[in-house]
Amino acid sequence: MKAKLALIAAALLTSSAAMAVTPSEQAIKLAKETIIVDGHIDVPYRINDTWEDVSRATDGGDFDYPRAVQGGLNAPFMSIYIPASYETSGDSVQLANRLIDSMEALVGRAPDKFALAHSVADVEKAFAEGKIALPLGMENGTPIQGSLDNLRHFYERGIRYITLAHSQANHISDSSYDLRRKWNGLSDFGKELVVEMNKLGVMVDISHVSDDAFYQAAEISKAPMIASHSSIRQFTPGFERNMDDKMIKKLAENGGVIMINFGSSFVSKQARQWNDQFSSKMEEKDLSWSDPQAETFSKQYRQNNPYPFASLELVLDHIDHVRDLVGIDHIGIGSDYDGVGDSLPENLKDVSTYPNLVQGLLDRGYSDADIRKILSGNLLRVWREVEAYAAAH
C-alpha cells in the first residue's frame, strides 16, 4: 500500500494556491515548549528503501532532525512497517528486526539528538534533555507469526504499539482494505493477542482493521486503544479505513485516542475520489503498480487532472468533529509523514509545520491546555494507562 501511495504521489501537481500560514509567537512557543507526539511517521521503511541520514538535513522525505526541531516535534513514533506481502513470504521477523536496528543505529550515530523511548518516562527524559525521543510502533502484526514469544521479543526490542493488520488480512485480523473477510473480524489468535498485549504493555492500534475487528478488539481490550493514524469517515464516505462516529464513540468509551492522519485522501472527499478514479484508469490500461510504464502514465494523468490537495482547514475540521463528538480528551496527531508520499495538505507538508497546525487551533479558539492535550497529553495518558494495566497484571 505504501508503494502504491508513493507511486500515486510521484508526480503530483499542485492545483491549489493556498495562502501560506505564518504562525504567531504564541503558536511557535506552544510547539516548542510542549512535547509533540506524532503517532505515525514512516522513517524506518523510507531509509531502508533509500538510505538517507535523517540526523542531518535531507533533500527528500518529510522528516529529518533540523525540520523536526523547527517544528517542535519531540516524540515521533517510528513506524516499523511490514508490507502485507510478508504474511506469506516468511521474512517479516527479519525485516522488523532490521528496521528496529536502523533506529538503534540512528541513535548510536547521533546520541546528542535522538534517544530511544520505551516508556512515557523515556519520552519525558528525552524532552528534558533536549533530545527527540523515538518510540516504536509496529505497523502490521505479521511478524508476530502466531507466536506470543515473538510478541515478547518485539516488546523487549521497544515496540509499544502494534497495528493489528495493514492492507490485507493477516493471521490476526481482517483489514479495512481487504474485501475478503477472512475472519469476520479478529482471528482466534488475534483475540488472544489483544489480551496478551494488554498484559505486556503494548498499545492496541486499530488503524487499518475492519469495522468488525475494531469492535471485537474494543470488547476484549481492558486498556485504552489507539488509532495511530486514522481520520473521520464522515468526510470520506465509504472509506472504511477511516473511523465513523459510532466507532469513535466506542474508542472514547474505552478511554482511547484517534490520531488524525494528514494525508489528503484521508481528510478530503475530493482527494479520495481522485485516487479512486486514478486507480480505475490504471486498471483500464492493465497497468500494475510495478509496471515501469505506470510512472509515465501517472505524470500524464496528473497534467490533465491536477491533484486536489487538502487544506489545513480541512484537517482542523476533522479535529473539530472529534472534539464535538466525544470531547477534547480523545484527539491526537498521526500525520503519516513519509507514508503518504507527496499527498500532504497545504501548510502541513513536513515535520517543520506543526506550528501551522497549532496556529489553526488557536484561530479556532482552542485553549493552550486543549492544544497540549492534542499534541501529546492524550496519547501519553493512554500510554501511561497501558503501562499501569500491564504492571498490575
Side-chain angles (χ1 to χ4, degrees):
M1 181 58 62
K2 281 185 167 58
K4 291 182 180 180
L5 288 168
L7 181 56
I8 286 174
L12 292 180
L13 298 176
T14 303
S15 61
S16 168
M19 293 290 291
V21 172
T22 302
S24 64
E25 290 184 10
Q26 180 185 6
I28 295 171
K29 186 171 185 287
L30 264 175
K32 295 285 189 180
E33 295 182 356
T34 304
I35 295 175
I36 296 180
V37 174
D38 191 312
H40 192 91
I41 295 184
D42 278 292
V43 168
Y45 199 77
R46 166 191 158 196
I47 64 175
N48 180 69
D49 187 43
T50 303
W51 166 250
E52 290 183 290
D53 184 359
V54 295
S55 70
R56 303 179 180 183
T58 59
D59 293 331
D62 307 324
F63 174 97
D64 58 38
Y65 179 78
R67 284 182 285 175
V69 170
Q70 181 181 347
L73 177 62
N74 318 106
F77 269 87
M78 295 283 103
S79 173
I80 305 304
Y81 163 62
I82 309 299
S85 60
Y86 279 76
E87 181 73 12
T88 55
S89 72
D91 298 326
S92 61
V93 172
Q94 180 182 359
L95 175 59
N97 279 314
R98 185 165 72 244
L99 297 180
I100 295 170
D101 288 346
S102 73
M103 293 299 95
E104 292 179 348
L106 175 60
V107 173
R109 285 194 307 275
D112 57 325
K113 298 176 179 177
F114 298 106
L116 292 171
H118 296 171
S119 65
V120 175
D122 286 347
V123 170
E124 293 172 336
K125 181 175 183 288
F127 180 69
E129 293 176 349
K131 298 178 182 179
I132 294 176
L134 299 179
L136 305 177
M138 178 180 286
E139 185 180 24
N140 187 3
T142 281
I144 302 304
Q145 292 190 337
S147 167
L148 297 181
D149 286 341
N150 281 350
L151 171 65
R152 286 184 281 271
H153 165 77
F154 285 114
Y155 175 82
E156 290 170 0
R157 294 223 59 192
I159 295 296
R160 290 302 178 266
Y161 76 66
I162 296 175
T163 315
L164 300 180
H166 193 251
S167 59
Q168 296 176 15
N170 59 15
H171 68 285
I172 297 167
S173 174
D174 289 335
S175 164
S176 62
Y177 285 117
D178 194 338
L179 295 179
R180 302 166 299 170
R181 292 308 194 227
K182 182 176 182 179
W183 307 110
N184 292 318
L186 299 177
S187 69
D188 288 343
F189 175 75
K191 295 171 183 177
E192 181 184 5
L193 182 67
V194 170
V195 172
E196 293 302 316
M197 288 170 67
N198 282 177
K199 291 180 180 179
L200 198 56
V202 179
M203 289 179 279
V204 177
D205 177 22
I206 53 74
S207 287
H208 282 284
V209 305
S210 69
D211 288 8
D212 286 342
F214 163 78
Y215 284 112
Q216 291 169 19
E219 289 302 319
I220 295 168
S221 183
K222 303 302 182 184
M225 305 190 303
I226 64 170
S228 67
H229 58 306
S230 296
S231 297
I232 314 306
R233 196 178 301 175
Q234 177 173 307
F235 295 86
T236 56
F239 186 40
E240 189 180 348
R241 171 66 178 80
N242 278 343
M243 298 184 72
D244 67 20
D245 286 3
K246 184 180 176 183
M247 297 168 74
I248 295 166
K249 288 179 179 178
K250 185 65 175 178
L251 185 70
E253 285 175 12
N254 287 15
V257 173
I258 177 171
M259 309 182 78
I260 302 300
N261 191 314
F262 292 175
S264 289
S265 64
F266 287 82
V267 297
S268 164
K269 179 180 179 180
Q270 289 72 27
R272 182 82 250 143
Q273 291 173 337
W274 189 100
N275 279 8
D276 291 343
Q277 291 165 2
F278 175 76
S279 296
S280 295
K281 292 295 183 182
M282 289 278 286
E283 291 176 7
E284 287 177 12
K285 293 185 174 295
D286 197 27
L287 287 173
S288 71
W289 293 104
S290 59
D291 195 317
Q293 297 177 4
E295 184 173 350
T296 300
F297 170 74
S298 69
K299 290 179 180 179
Q300 293 172 344
Y301 184 84
R302 284 162 182 75
Q303 287 175 356
N304 296 323
N305 304 274
Y307 187 80
F309 288 101
S311 65
L312 168 60
E313 293 302 314
L314 189 51
V315 174
L316 294 168
D317 288 345
H318 283 249
I319 293 173
D320 284 352
H321 184 87
V322 180
R323 177 202 59 191
D324 295 343
L325 186 67
V326 295
I328 198 68
D329 294 327
H330 305 285
I331 313 166
I333 298 169
S335 65
D336 215 347
Y337 282 134
D338 279 329
V340 291
D342 190 27
S343 70
L344 291 156
E346 301 295 347
N347 293 303
L348 290 175
K349 292 297 188 183
D350 62 30
V351 296
S352 70
T353 60
Y354 297 101
N356 294 345
L357 181 72
V358 173
Q359 185 61 55
L361 293 168
L362 289 170
D363 291 343
R364 294 195 178 198
Y366 285 78
S367 68
D368 288 9
D370 285 349
I371 292 170
R372 290 190 182 98
K373 286 185 176 183
I374 293 169
L375 294 181
S376 63
N378 293 332
L379 185 281
L380 293 178
R381 170 188 56 79
V382 168
W383 194 354
R384 286 191 187 96
E385 291 180 18
V386 170
E387 289 178 335
Y389 183 90
H393 295 82

